[in-house]
Amino acid sequence: MELFDVYSLFEVTPVCGKGCRVWDENDTEYLDLYGGHAVISIGHSHPKYIKSITDQLNKIGFYSNSVINPLQTTLAHKIGKLSGYNDYSLFLINSGAEANENALKLASFHTKRDKVVAFKRSFHGRTSGAVAVTDNPKIVSPFNAVHKVQFAELNNIASVEALLKAGDVAAVIIEGIQGCGGIHIPTPQFMQDLRAVCDKYGTVLILDEIQSGYGRSGKFFAHQYSGIKPDIITMAKGIANGFPVGGILIAPKFEAVKGMLGTTFGGNYLGMAAAIAVADIFEEEHLVENAAKVGKYLLENIPSSPRIKEVRGEGLMIGIEFNEPMTEIRKKLLYEKHIFTGVAGQNMIRLLPPLCLTIEECDEFIAAFKEVLK
C-alpha cells in the first residue's frame, strides 16, 4: 500500500528537534520559523513537556468521556487564567476543524437557525462545515457546498449587516487574524462593530483563534487587541505543542444539554498531560510576552526590498508579501540557508515560529534573508 498522494513535500526528513531547531537524517540543522504550521508553541522537545506525557503514559493513556478525568478540569482552570475567560466553559476535541464544527453546531442549536456568515479569504478547516465556511472553492466538494454560507468583506461592517438583517443567521465566524488567506488583520473598530451587529440581530459571534490564538499574536487571543468578547472561541494548534488537542471556549449564556456535543478521543489523558505542560510552560517562560517582544523586533527588522510589497502581522504571526511568486525564495531559504518558512498563496512567505524564538535567532533569519533577496 502507498500513501494517498495529496501533499507537495520538501525533500527534508526531520528526525529530531529542540527549541526552534530541527535536524534531518543527515544531521543537517535547520532554524524552524514554521513551527509545523504554527503548532509548535513551546519549542521542540521541551523537557517538561516530554516528562509530563511520559509520566502520564506510565499511569493511564486513555479512557473515554464516560468517566471523570480531573486533568480536563485542571486544563480548563489553567486556560481560564491564561486567557482571562474564567467564566466561560471548555469543550475538548482533537483538532481545529473539529473545534469549528462544534462551534457552528452549538451556535445553530442555540439560535435554531441554519445560516452562517464567514469572510472572503477565510480558512477554517477541511471537515464538512469547516470547509464550507472556507473561502476556497478548490477544496470544497459538492457535498460540503450544500451548507448555507455567505461571505462578507473583511473590515466592511455594512457587508456583514446586509447579510444579518433578515434575522436568520446562526453565526458569524471570523479568524482573529486570517492565516492561510494572507495575514489580513481585522481592525479593532471592525471587531467592535461586528460584536454590536451580532448582538443586534441575535447572531452568535465565533472567533476562530486556531492559528492566531494561544499567544501567537502577542496576546493570548488576537481578538483581545480589539477589547471584545466573542460568544465562542475555537482553539487548537499551539494548545498541546503537536499532540492533537482542540477546544472551544463557550460563553455562560449557552446551556449545556447532555449529548448535544460529544467526542471519543477529545480530552484524553495523554492530550491533557501535553496541554497542561504547555500551559505551565507558557506561564513560567512568559511566552505570550516573548511573542509580542520578539515579533515586534522581527517585524521592524525585516529588510526593505523592491521585491517586497508589504510586511504585516502581529506577534509571531507574520506575512511577507512579494511582488512576485516566492517559490524560489522559499526554496533558497530552506535548501541553502536551512530555514523553514510557511506560505500563503503564491506571493507570501509566512513566519510562524515557536513562541520561544529569540532575538539572536531573528538576527540569523534576517541575515540569511538579506542574502537570498540579493
Side-chain angles (χ1 to χ4, degrees):
M1 182 182 290
E2 299 295 331
L3 296 174
F4 197 51
D5 188 14
V6 293
Y7 296 118
S8 298
L9 302 177
F10 284 115
E11 294 297 320
V12 179
T13 306
V15 295
C16 65
K18 188 171 181 60
C20 294
R21 309 278 174 172
V22 295
W23 287 262
D24 67 16
E25 77 277 26
N26 300 313
D27 205 32
T28 302
E29 180 180 324
Y30 297 80
L31 176 62
D32 185 8
L33 299 187
Y34 183 48
H37 203 67
V39 167
I40 302 300
S41 52
I42 59 170
H44 296 278
S45 304
H46 194 292
K48 182 166 186 171
Y49 176 80
I50 293 170
K51 184 177 187 304
S52 181
I53 298 173
T54 303
D55 287 351
Q56 184 59 51
L57 185 58
N58 283 320
K59 297 173 186 174
I60 181 171
F62 179 80
Y63 207 79
S64 75
N65 283 303
S66 61
V67 299
I68 295 169
N69 181 348
L71 296 179
Q72 296 180 356
T73 302
T74 298
L75 178 62
H77 292 165
K78 289 181 182 294
I79 292 175
K81 181 181 177 182
L82 285 168
S83 68
Y85 279 94
N86 275 311
D87 58 332
Y88 280 46
S89 301
L90 174 65
F91 178 70
L92 291 157
I93 49 275
N94 311 286
S95 70
E98 283 183 76
N100 284 333
E101 292 284 348
N102 281 278
L104 293 165
K105 183 178 180 180
L106 185 58
S108 183
F109 271 134
H110 182 75
T111 62
K112 308 295 190 292
R113 303 171 184 174
D114 62 355
K115 294 181 180 178
V116 176
V117 170
F119 290 89
K120 294 179 181 178
R121 298 188 299 257
S122 61
F123 183 89
H124 297 287
R126 290 178 178 268
T127 52
S128 188
V131 78
V133 295
T134 291
D135 185 25
N136 183 351
K138 292 180 180 179
I139 63 171
V140 180
S141 77
F143 172 71
N144 307 134
V146 299
H147 295 280
K148 298 177 182 178
V149 179
Q150 292 175 292
F151 293 93
E153 293 280 352
L154 189 68
N155 292 324
N156 182 338
I157 197 62
S159 76
V160 180
E161 188 163 14
L163 299 175
L164 299 189
K165 280 183 177 178
D168 59 354
V169 175
V172 172
I173 184 167
I174 184 171
E175 293 160 90
I177 298 172
Q178 288 187 334
C180 293
I183 313 296
H184 296 285
I185 305 173
T187 67
Q189 185 62 59
F190 175 73
M191 293 293 263
Q192 292 159 17
D193 292 343
L194 186 61
R195 175 70 278 179
V197 297
C198 284
D199 288 339
K200 180 179 178 180
Y201 296 105
T203 299
V204 172
L205 178 57
I206 301 171
L207 246 299
D208 178 342
E209 294 279 9
I210 289 159
Q211 187 172 135
S212 58
Y214 240 80
R216 179 151 298 281
S217 72
K219 289 188 179 291
F220 195 80
F221 292 125
H223 72 262
Q224 290 173 319
Y225 281 101
S226 65
I228 67 159
K229 295 190 80 172
D231 300 307
I232 304 174
I233 304 163
T234 62
M235 313 175 297
K237 292 197 183 294
I239 187 172
N241 205 54
F243 201 101
V245 176
I248 59 176
L249 300 187
I250 305 163
K253 70 180 183 182
F254 292 87
E255 180 184 358
V257 177
K258 301 297 185 186
M260 71 188 307
L261 303 177
T263 172
T264 296
F265 297 105
N268 66 78
Y269 287 92
L270 288 180
M272 295 303 90
I276 288 168
V278 168
D280 288 341
I281 293 162
F282 259 64
E283 190 167 27
E284 293 163 6
E285 299 186 7
H286 308 288
L287 292 185
V288 181
E289 296 86 344
N290 188 69
K293 180 186 75 173
V294 177
K296 183 174 184 291
Y297 178 85
L298 189 50
L299 274 166
E300 290 175 350
N301 287 279
I302 289 174
S304 59
S305 166
R307 303 177 73 181
I308 296 175
K309 179 180 179 181
E310 187 180 9
V311 180
R312 53 185 180 265
E314 293 280 8
L316 289 173
M317 186 172 180
I318 297 172
I320 306 169
E321 186 175 4
F322 293 86
N323 291 309
E324 62 190 80
M326 53 70 222
T327 304
E328 290 306 312
I329 295 171
R330 191 184 183 210
K331 284 183 177 179
K332 285 183 177 181
L333 283 169
L334 181 61
Y335 294 124
E336 296 179 14
K337 301 301 181 182
H338 301 135
I339 298 174
F340 277 101
T341 59
V343 298
Q346 299 299 312
N347 289 23
M348 175 172 278
I349 282 178
R350 276 191 294 165
L351 305 181
L352 304 164
L355 305 188
C356 57
L357 189 74
T358 65
I359 297 294
E360 292 74 21
E361 287 165 333
C362 289
D363 288 339
E364 181 181 339
F365 166 72
I366 291 162
F369 191 45
K370 286 178 179 177
E371 292 182 17
V372 167
L373 286 175
K374 288 179 181 177

